[in-house]
Amino acid sequence: MIARKTASTKYYESHTQLFYKFDYKNKNVVLKGKKILIGITGSIAAYKIIYLTRLLVKNGAEVQIVMTEAATKFVSPLVLSTLSKNKVLINLFDDDVWANHVALGRWADAMIIAPLSCNTLAKMAHGLCDNLLLAVYLSATCKVLFAPAMDEDMWHHPATQKNVDALIKNGNILLGVDSGELASGLTGEGRMMEPEKMLIELKKIFRKDDLKGQIVLITSGPTYELLDPVRFIANHSTGKMGTALAEAFYENGADVIFISGPSVYLPEYEDIKIIKVISADEMYEQAIAVFPQTTIAILAAAVADYTPIEKSEIKIKKNENEFTLTLKKTKDILKKLGKLKENQLVIGFALETNNEIEYANKKLKEKNADFIILNSLNSKNEPFGSDNNKVTILSNKGVEFESDLLKKSKIANLVIEKIKEKILPNA
Ligand code: CTP
């Protein structure tokens, strides 16, 4: 399914690229408490592991770093031990104490070797063991990811490619190299994968399969209702809650189709299918088209309730003292899916300023939803743009759950728990 390309879609896409930045404040819960072993070898890309370490620690992981002697020439063990909050290990013997590589290899939930030099790659492929990093690698019982970094010619050399194949055959996960400027000054393939992408690859290996087989449709973000080529009516929604839901469903094993209005927040997993739309009408069409193949639909978008009856093809000029805009109602996506649903779960959101529970219950009935997630509007909670949210989940049984003010990723997981209770009887 491909979103219609309008001039404004292109404009929005270019701006999305411009403003998209890695949002690690809105960290999710997958890596919390996970034990990650990082192996660093001698490559200029080693400095980037400072940032990877920071990202992992921010995401709640426990990090232990092992380096080769050569790696210490490129990045300071002191910086890494400070950030990882653990002594960095380099030698098999330190002050007459033997580093227990077997215990380390068994301690880890995942090991990532990055940057992986051509030399260590070859040693790993042949089972050599002449330093602590290699001993830990050979002792590791967890999944091992490796991120090569070298010059293009070395990367493409048949010997290197044979070694890479051998590592993959042994069950290790290749984090493919990027293209760009290389240490030699040449441009080509061989750059180490960026730390943000490594973080995503690490999260992927902890994906659960609780919701395997579920196909989840999520609408997210605001919609833009165009008045003319330069103006539109919109709202404050950022799409952070929808994005958190999409990522949490994916992490629980579901397939996710994400229909997003104009937003810089998009799910980070490339396996999530993203359909970008602009207006309420486009969102409606895409949702209706996708709905029959889904098992769960969560309508988290703040869809415009009204759209201008007339959209000017040219810029409206400022002529009169007053300007009257006539609007018509948009189609209600949630209501339509509530009508169309067969076995699917249909879940809506509500945001009310008064009579919250009464209005949310009304929406539940009128839109034939299975749950309504009521965003709480109080002095401590500003749902638009914030990383936090506080919600009440309602069903036809009444109030099912009231959350505290929590990270949106945590709220997403609470919603998933409620859904699991409903669709997985033994959950
Ligand atoms: N919704 C939708 N399509 C619309 C309007 C709303 O799918 N055209 C969905 C929203 O995504 C949300 C739910 O309906 O899940 C409730 O949206 P909300 O704006 O709170 O309610 P409305 O039905 O628009 O009613 P009101 O604005 O009067 O509160």
Side-chain angles (χ1 to χ4, degrees):
M1 200 72 47
I2 294 163
R4 252 188 279 155
K5 291 250 175 197
T6 58
S8 43
T9 314
K10 283 183 205 137
Y11 170 83
Y12 147 61
E13 276 175 358
S14 64
H15 278 65
T16 304
Q17 303 265 317
L18 206 67
F19 292 125
Y20 182 76
K21 65 173 172 27
F22 188 70
D23 175 31
Y24 72 72
K25 254 204 254 152
N26 196 19
K27 55 191 181 269
N28 69 19
V29 293
V30 184
L31 292 172
K32 197 163 170 29
K34 293 284 186 293
K35 299 184 180 81
I36 311 293
L37 197 53
I38 306 180
I40 311 176
T41 75
S43 155
I44 182 67
Y47 78 92
K48 292 189 180 176
I49 304 307
I50 294 174
Y51 186 46
L52 178 68
T53 306
R54 183 94 181 111
L55 289 177
L56 286 168
V57 171
K58 278 261 169 199
N59 274 269
E62 249 184 87
V63 179
Q64 172 66 65
I65 297 174
V66 181
M67 299 171 84
T68 61
E69 243 345 297
T72 64
K73 305 264 187 286
F74 292 95
V75 66
S76 146
L78 180 64
V79 173
L80 293 164
S81 66
T82 309
L83 290 175
S84 66
K85 302 183 176 88
N86 274 316
K87 183 174 165 28
V88 170
L89 303 170
I90 301 157
N91 301 310
L92 269 162
F93 306 97
D94 245 345
D95 300 331
D96 293 337
V97 178
W98 176 67
N100 190 340
H101 55 85
V102 180
L104 261 181
R106 291 185 172 223
W107 167 86
D109 294 314
M111 179 174 190
I112 178 162
I113 305 180
L116 176 56
S117 66
C118 197
N119 185 37
T120 303
L121 192 155
K123 288 183 186 177
M124 283 165 64
H126 292 88
L128 297 187
C129 187
D130 62 1
N131 61 34
L132 179 64
L133 192 151
L134 289 164
V136 172
Y137 162 67
L138 289 169
S139 311
T141 48
C142 57
K143 290 230 167 86
V144 178
L145 299 88
F146 64 104
M150 63 196 74
D151 220 65
E152 184 170 50
D153 296 332
M154 292 165 89
W155 172 246
H156 284 302
H157 196 284
T160 306
Q161 288 304 311
K162 222 165 135 193
N163 290 335
V164 168
D165 288 347
L167 286 190
I168 294 170
K169 214 163 141 222
N170 288 344
N172 303 291
I173 300 166
L174 167 68
L175 304 182
V177 297
D178 287 344
S179 269
E181 200 184 324
L182 301 165
S184 59
L186 298 172
T187 301
E189 272 185 15
R191 277 170 70 96
M192 186 184 75
M193 179 183 275
E194 292 299 326
E196 292 91 338
K197 269 166 84 184
M198 283 185 200
L199 190 77
I200 295 167
E201 295 303 321
L202 263 169
K203 284 182 192 167
K204 273 168 49 179
I205 69 166
F206 296 111
R207 194 177 177 206
K208 297 187 225 157
D209 58 7
D210 302 11
L211 292 177
K212 204 171 166 102
Q214 301 293 332
I215 304 171
V216 185
L217 158 66
I218 295 172
T219 66
S220 180
T223 61
Y224 285 5
E225 306 307 316
L226 304 188
L227 270 66
D228 68 13
V230 290
R231 302 176 180 101
F232 55 82
I233 302 173
N235 56 62
H236 287 300
S237 169
T238 56
K240 279 190 177 180
M241 190 64 237
T243 299
L245 279 163
E247 289 174 354
F249 270 103
Y250 175 81
E251 285 156 5
N252 276 273
D255 287 326
V256 180
I257 304 168
F258 187 76
I259 305 180
S260 175
S263 165
V264 292
Y265 294 101
L266 295 171
E268 59 188 11
Y269 300 107
E270 73 274 15
D271 295 338
I272 294 179
K273 186 174 178 155
I274 297 174
I275 301 172
K276 291 178 184 173
V277 297
I278 302 290
S279 66
D281 198 40
E282 283 174 19
M283 190 174 273
Y284 176 89
E285 278 181 34
Q286 296 291 347
I288 299 296
V290 163
F291 187 59
Q293 51 173 299
T294 62
T295 55
I296 300 169
I298 305 204
L299 291 294
V303 188
D305 287 333
Y306 291 93
T307 191
I309 286 186
E310 281 175 28
K311 293 176 180 61
S312 173
E313 292 296 321
I314 51 169
K315 188 180 164 202
I316 301 167
K317 295 304 289 174
K318 177 181 61 184
N319 292 326
E320 311 299 330
N321 280 340
E322 287 184 5
F323 178 76
T324 307
L325 195 61
T326 318
L327 306 172
K328 63 174 181 193
K329 249 190 190 166
T330 56
K331 293 178 199 150
D332 192 318
I333 307 167
L334 176 58
K335 201 168 181 178
K336 183 71 180 177
L337 300 192
K339 264 198 197 122
L340 291 175
K341 77 174 181 189
E342 291 176 347
N343 300 316
Q344 292 108 320
L345 270 192
V346 174
I347 298 159
F349 271 76
L351 177 73
E352 309 291 347
T353 53
N354 54 312
N355 304 334
E356 292 183 306
I357 301 285
E358 185 194 329
Y359 285 147
N361 263 321
K362 201 162 164 250
K363 270 175 199 164
L364 183 88
K365 288 196 186 77
E366 283 177 1
K367 304 197 187 202
N368 195 26
D370 296 279
F371 292 113
I372 286 287
I373 303 164
L374 172 66
N375 284 308
S376 168
L377 256 190
N378 62 38
S379 53
K380 286 201 195 106
N381 184 40
E382 167 49 74
F384 294 123
S386 159
D387 288 330
N388 303 317
N389 205 0
K390 181 169 167 21
V391 300
T392 304
I393 302 179
L394 295 108
S395 74
N396 59 8
K397 292 188 204 146
V399 170
E400 292 235 5
F401 183 81
E402 260 181 87
S403 82
D404 295 326
L405 186 63
L406 297 169
K407 289 257 167 272
K408 285 182 173 168
S409 54
K410 288 229 169 88
I411 296 282
N413 277 289
L414 290 171
V415 170
I416 288 176
E417 285 316 308
K418 272 284 143 212
I419 291 172
K420 281 187 193 167
E421 274 173 28
K422 182 130 181 145
I423 61 173
L424 309 171
N426 300 322

